[in-house]
Amino acid sequence: MNRYADNSITTLQFIAIITGTQVSFGFIDIPYELHEHAGSDGWISLVIGWLVTTAASLIAIRLMKGYRQGTLLDLLAQYGGRWAGRAVACVLACYFAIFSYDGLIYSTRVIKSRILQETPIFITLFLILIPAYMVARNEVRNIGRYSEFALLASLWIPFIFSFTLRHANWLYLLPVLPGGWGPVLSTVPHTIYYFLSFFASVFLYPYLQKKERAGMAIVIALTLTLLSFLFISIVCFVFLSPDEFGTIYQPAIYLLKTVRLPFLEQVEGMFIVMYLLIFSIAWIPSLYFFSYSVNWTFGRTDPRLPLRLLIGTIIVSSYFYVPDYWQLIRLNKWLSGFGFGVEYVLPLLLLALLSMSKRYRAEVKQA
Amino acid sequence: MTAARKLLPPLALLLLLTGCFDRLDMEDASMSLVAGIDVEENGEVYQYTSIPIFAKNSKKKSQSLKVKSTSLRQGRGKFDTFTVGSFNGRKIQVIVVSKRLIETEHAWFRFMDVYFRDGRNPITSHMIVFDGPLSQLYEYTPPNQTILPIALLGVVKSTSSRSEAVKTTLQELHTQMYEFGQTPAVTEVELKQDLRVKGTSLLAHDGRYVTSLDSKESALLLILKKKNTRTVGFSFEVPKELVTDPEGSRWISFTAEKIKVKIRTAVKGGRFSFDIRIRMAAGLMEKQFPTDIRAEQKRKLEAAYSEYVKKELEKLLDKLRENKVDPIGLGIYARAYHYGDFQKVKDHWDEAFSEADVNVAVNVKITDEGSVK
């Protein structure tokens, strides 16, 4: 079990991986999504979604406390047999592959429509994937360091958005709850997708240096995510009139288009390029976990082969076919259902089963 | 051996860099800085553009072009056939529409779609309504040899810094066009003697031209919109009883500072009413009659000034209601505080606004009388 101890990550790295994965495209998309379903009250749904996910994550951490030596898959193999573990590993590998594919295509689509309109997508994708591969082929510790750097290097983002506040009209936030609690509560499931990273708490837990801080770390990570989502949502809500909101995709980028610095035009272009750092935390850890799951299934340890296969497939396939925005949105919807299953229901179910079987064995031993 | 292998990936990357398909060298680009749309008497839509010429020996500083097209994107292709480099609109500073266009084509905002849809086009360009045919504007050479976009931006910036006209960017116009509780207002420019800002054009919710405000009315509108970041000046004649010589000049000028506007809304029997309270500090700038600005006299002057601003605001509000336009955005207040009632009249807010009660109260304090008595 030295594999986990040798690759331990610090609490800050743990927080950075979780927050980075969650924030990534949410930051660009969440204002539109919230406004579509709940109008200017969407931020309330966000707070409720945060409460729900924090509670779920704390329960998971509490359950994981009993199993310090391995990831969920190791536990499953230990208690349910090798094949049960393999089945779950296959499902997880698919999930992580689709999750990273979704993130990659989304970012390249943004670059294509905003910056490099004439460059073919497969070239952009190729350029993005080279550094992604170089990070993801390493161990968890390297991914932790990378995420930490990416998160710290992106702390300027709120400041650039403060330039847009001179257009703000705070009256757009009123009235609060014009349609009652109904729309707000029905939006909560949509927000949960953006808080997905539950895998982190069950997969990264064994690597964590100071396990007693895991609960605190996950609360901090989720709160950071909540704060960044709340920030961008409220900035967009007070900037765009409620009547024009539905006409603008990716409001976060639209907002930056109105910023004009004396030394820099088209601030949003710079933003997208720099934001790739945050975007990349969506796919780099998932690429790693993909190769981890595949390797686990076949009992291998070198993460490079599955990674090369996946990356090669993505690049080659993008030459022939790239999903458009609408297909991506449908994929996102589907992923959010699947993700909910994989990241919330499945681990909780498994952990509950494991703890039951452990108790059962203990009883058998006693008897 | 290992070093060579490590170097391979970066080298491969370098090879790819030439594959960037979006490269555009400055000398191959023709940057449009002022885009214009006009409609001729026969109903045909024309597009105008002005491109700066960077060549040293050129006598003209910019090239003006005119093509007939009903779509801006199609027009771009036509412009391309004229220009030396590849024509693009990524640096457009000003978008000019002629008054005739917004009077006759009431859905003219559709022409702006390309600026929002194409992710690389700017949305910070200034919107200007030109009172006259655009050919007149594009043939005009500014006397001080600057190019047209700089001259246009110059007059807009200098007037808006003294709050004499609204300044509307493309993005602000987008908000105003879509917002149900507000109607758009755009800077109006004319060419008389020289290029000058005439005031503000007020448009209806669908973009149709309704009426214009002069520079004094524009200043008052900016106060009501709470967009008054700089100081604004007022000159008026005081009532006769305040001066010792009723036959002489009664002119006085103030600058208004620290303007605080409070707007309260109420609904009585389906009718909206707005209570606008304005407090401001005034600095005396010019006084053409002798008077002692102390105690009693100061209070009287303050009252006269408040009364003057109040009268002017009421005149403006009557004009707006008569023309059924709400450039202030009082509808936004109505929606925020009386959501249910606003939703009922949302689609015809202009009607509801024209029937609304508006009460204005102005309170002025003279804080500075200058350095002479």
Side-chain angles (χ1 to χ4, degrees):
Chain A
M1 289 297 123
N2 281 336
R3 176 175 173 157
Y4 303 112
D6 287 346
N7 269 298
S8 61
I9 52 173
T10 65
T11 314
L12 183 60
Q13 288 166 350
F14 182 74
I15 293 172
I17 297 180
I18 297 177
T19 306
T21 314
Q22 292 169 337
V23 170
S24 64
F25 14 129
F27 199 74
I28 311 278
D29 260 354
I30 210 164
Y32 185 84
E33 177 98 14
L34 290 178
H35 203 275
E36 191 185 3
H37 297 290
S40 48
D41 292 326
W43 59 274
I44 303 175
S45 319
L46 212 51
V47 177
I48 300 175
W50 169 76
L51 281 174
V52 172
T53 38
T54 311
S57 303
L58 282 177
I59 293 172
I61 291 280
R62 196 162 185 85
L63 288 170
M64 283 303 285
K65 269 200 178 132
Y67 317 94
R68 295 192 161 210
Q69 330 75 350
T71 64
L72 194 67
L73 293 175
D74 297 324
L75 301 175
L76 205 64
Q78 197 180 333
Y79 290 95
R82 190 83 196 154
W83 280 101
R86 278 186 183 163
V88 174
C90 281
V91 175
L92 286 176
C94 285
Y95 173 67
F96 287 127
I98 298 170
F99 191 87
S100 48
Y101 181 70
D102 188 31
L104 278 163
I105 299 292
Y106 185 88
S107 329
T108 26
R109 278 266 170 224
V110 171
I111 294 172
K112 168 103 177 158
S113 67
R114 306 276 178 175
I115 309 171
L116 299 174
Q117 287 181 337
E118 283 149 42
T119 308
I121 273 193
F122 75 95
I123 289 187
T124 321
L125 204 56
F126 186 50
L127 288 174
I128 287 178
L129 274 170
I130 290 173
Y133 169 75
M134 289 166 104
V135 180
R137 69 177 172 176
N138 292 304
E139 283 296 342
V140 171
R141 171 176 283 182
N142 303 59
I143 290 166
R145 284 176 185 163
Y146 175 78
S147 307
E148 187 181 4
F149 162 75
L151 197 72
L152 293 177
S154 306
L155 287 179
W156 53 273
I157 290 174
F159 296 100
I160 196 101
F161 274 96
S162 64
F163 280 104
T164 66
L165 281 177
R166 67 196 175 89
H167 292 287
N169 188 342
W170 293 88
L171 284 177
Y172 290 153
L173 285 181
L174 292 174
V176 179
L177 297 175
W181 284 95
V184 172
L185 292 178
S186 65
T187 314
V188 173
H190 295 278
T191 67
I192 286 183
Y193 170 60
Y194 295 100
F195 284 109
L196 284 185
S197 73
F198 188 82
F199 73 90
S201 45
V202 289
F203 262 91
L204 293 175
Y205 183 77
Y207 297 98
L208 196 60
Q209 253 171 20
K210 293 179 179 144
K211 299 214 170 37
E212 64 280 7
R213 288 198 191 161
M216 186 194 72
I218 209 131
V219 172
I220 292 176
L222 284 167
T223 311
L224 274 178
T225 311
L226 172 77
L227 286 179
S228 43
F229 283 167
L230 264 186
F231 172 77
I232 191 66
S233 302
I234 287 177
V235 166
C236 287
F237 286 174
V238 299
F239 184 94
L240 295 167
S241 151
D243 298 320
E244 76 172 328
F245 215 107
T247 65
I248 290 159
Y249 301 130
Q250 300 166 338
I253 298 176
Y254 180 82
L255 251 64
L256 284 186
K257 289 187 68 145
T258 67
V259 177
R260 221 175 191 179
L261 301 177
F263 52 91
L264 184 66
E265 266 196 348
Q266 300 201 311
V267 176
E268 85 280 3
M270 286 298 291
F271 167 76
I272 293 169
V273 173
M274 299 296 284
Y275 196 74
L276 273 180
L277 273 179
I278 295 274
F279 266 147
S280 68
I281 316 183
W283 65 72
I284 289 178
S286 354
L287 281 176
Y288 173 80
F289 286 121
F290 161 78
S291 68
Y292 175 88
S293 305
V294 171
N295 278 336
W296 196 90
T297 315
F298 295 105
R300 294 166 44 95
T301 48
D302 185 9
R304 277 178 290 187
L305 185 68
L307 262 187
R308 282 178 193 166
L309 279 175
L310 180 66
I311 287 175
T313 317
I314 291 177
I315 293 173
V316 172
S317 73
S318 73
Y319 186 76
F320 300 102
Y321 169 76
V322 182
D324 62 32
Y325 261 127
W326 299 111
Q327 285 163 327
L328 273 183
I329 286 170
R330 237 183 300 153
L331 185 65
N332 277 345
K333 288 250 156 69
W334 182 80
L335 253 188
S336 89
F338 189 54
F340 190 77
V342 169
E343 299 207 353
Y344 289 83
V345 181
L346 185 75
L348 281 182
L349 210 68
L350 289 177
L351 285 166
L353 280 176
L354 286 175
S355 73
M356 262 159 61
S357 92
K358 197 180 176 189
R359 200 168 292 165
Y360 173 75
R361 284 186 194 191
E363 273 170 22
V364 170
K365 247 185 208 168
Q366 273 180 0
Chain B
M1 184 61 201
T2 47
R5 274 178 71 179
K6 270 185 185 167
L7 269 174
L8 264 176
L11 284 176
L13 265 179
L14 279 178
L15 280 175
L16 264 170
L17 279 180
T18 52
C20 179
F21 287 61
D22 292 80
R23 184 176 136 168
L24 181 63
D25 294 325
M26 271 297 278
E27 56 268 34
D28 292 337
S30 278
M31 244 108 51
S32 167
L33 295 182
V34 188
I37 308 168
D38 196 358
V39 61
E40 306 266 291
E41 265 157 33
N42 52 15
E44 280 171 348
V45 178
Y46 280 86
Q47 253 183 277
Y48 290 79
T49 191
S50 164
I51 302 160
I53 300 170
F54 295 114
K56 225 180 193 174
N57 307 328
S58 159
K59 270 199 179 156
K60 275 172 77 183
K61 296 238 167 160
S62 62
Q63 178 188 18
S64 289
L65 293 170
K66 171 187 176 184
V67 295
K68 184 180 135 188
S69 81
T70 42
S71 122
L72 259 58
R73 190 69 195 194
Q74 183 201 12
R76 181 177 120 154
K78 288 188 177 176
F79 283 135
D80 230 348
T81 59
F82 284 101
T83 55
V84 180
S86 115
F87 178 84
N88 76 67
R90 267 174 256 164
K91 295 281 173 243
I92 287 181
Q93 303 291 307
V94 186
I95 297 170
V96 193
V97 288
S98 74
K99 206 170 193 173
R100 194 188 308 150
L101 178 85
I102 60 173
E103 275 168 347
T104 51
E105 294 262 333
H106 62 92
W108 63 272
F109 193 67
R110 67 175 192 275
F111 292 122
M112 301 299 133
D113 182 76
V114 64
Y115 293 108
F116 293 98
R117 199 166 299 280
D118 186 340
R120 285 185 305 184
N121 280 337
I123 54 170
T124 46
S125 333
H126 286 285
M127 283 302 300
I128 286 175
V129 170
F130 183 71
D131 190 6
L134 281 195
S135 49
Q136 191 193 353
L137 177 72
Y138 277 87
E139 279 158 18
Y140 162 78
T141 356
N144 46 1
Q145 289 299 308
T146 52
I147 52 175
L148 183 63
I150 293 179
L152 273 173
L153 281 178
V155 290
V156 172
K157 274 184 184 152
S158 71
T159 45
S160 78
S161 74
R162 276 179 289 116
S163 308
E164 283 167 351
V166 296
K167 194 173 76 180
T168 310
T169 62
L170 193 54
Q171 165 262 323
E172 284 162 346
L173 184 66
H174 188 272
T175 306
Q176 295 170 4
M177 289 296 295
Y178 277 90
E179 171 66 61
F180 280 98
Q182 190 180 20
T183 56
V186 185
T187 326
E188 193 174 327
V189 168
E190 67 175 352
L191 201 55
K192 256 186 197 161
Q193 291 174 43
D194 206 341
L195 203 61
R196 73 176 272 263
V197 171
K198 199 181 164 192
T200 302
S201 290
L202 300 182
L203 316 180
H205 183 62
D206 60 0
R208 189 171 33 88
Y209 173 81
V210 178
T211 185
S212 294
L213 300 181
D214 61 23
S215 58
K216 190 170 76 184
E217 288 167 329
S218 302
L220 293 165
L221 174 66
L222 283 168
I223 292 180
L224 292 174
K225 284 180 89 160
K226 300 186 183 175
K227 286 273 163 151
N228 212 300
T229 46
R230 307 282 173 85
T231 56
V232 48
F234 292 105
S235 298
F236 64 102
E237 282 186 296
V238 295
K240 283 187 177 164
E241 49 286 9
L242 282 180
V243 289
T244 43
D245 173 20
E247 298 308 310
S249 173
R250 291 180 281 128
W251 280 100
I252 192 163
S253 301
F254 286 106
T255 55
E257 283 166 358
K258 290 192 211 154
I259 306 171
K260 295 264 185 306
V261 183
K262 268 193 187 146
I263 299 180
R264 286 172 196 277
T265 56
V267 184
K268 285 173 208 140
R271 237 176 108 183
F272 283 92
S273 78
F274 297 96
D275 207 13
I276 304 176
R277 281 165 197 283
I278 298 176
R279 276 168 49 206
M280 56 174 108
L284 185 58
M285 280 293 141
E286 187 187 8
K287 177 168 68 80
Q288 297 190 354
F289 52 90
T291 178
D292 195 13
I293 304 187
R294 299 274 161 77
E296 188 68 4
Q297 192 69 4
K298 183 180 167 214
R299 227 170 34 76
K300 277 183 187 166
L301 265 179
E302 283 172 347
Y305 184 28
S306 305
E307 190 60 26
Y308 167 78
V309 177
K310 186 183 167 198
K311 278 265 153 59
E312 291 296 317
L313 280 171
E314 279 171 350
K315 253 195 268 171
L316 172 70
L317 284 160
D318 285 342
K319 183 176 178 179
L320 296 180
R321 279 183 292 173
E322 211 172 282
N323 288 295
K324 296 183 182 169
V325 281
D326 176 16
I328 308 163
L330 288 176
I332 298 171
Y333 291 86
R335 179 180 52 216
Y337 297 111
H338 301 280
Y339 186 75
D341 293 294
F342 179 78
Q343 285 306 98
K344 279 183 222 152
V345 297
K346 184 178 170 182
D347 293 323
H348 42 97
W349 169 245
D350 46 353
E351 298 281 340
F353 171 67
S354 70
E355 287 159 15
D357 290 319
V358 186
N359 303 309
V360 186
V362 183
N363 184 4
V364 181
K365 283 263 174 298
I366 297 176
T367 49
D368 181 21
E369 63 167 299
S371 45
V372 291
K373 190 172 175 182

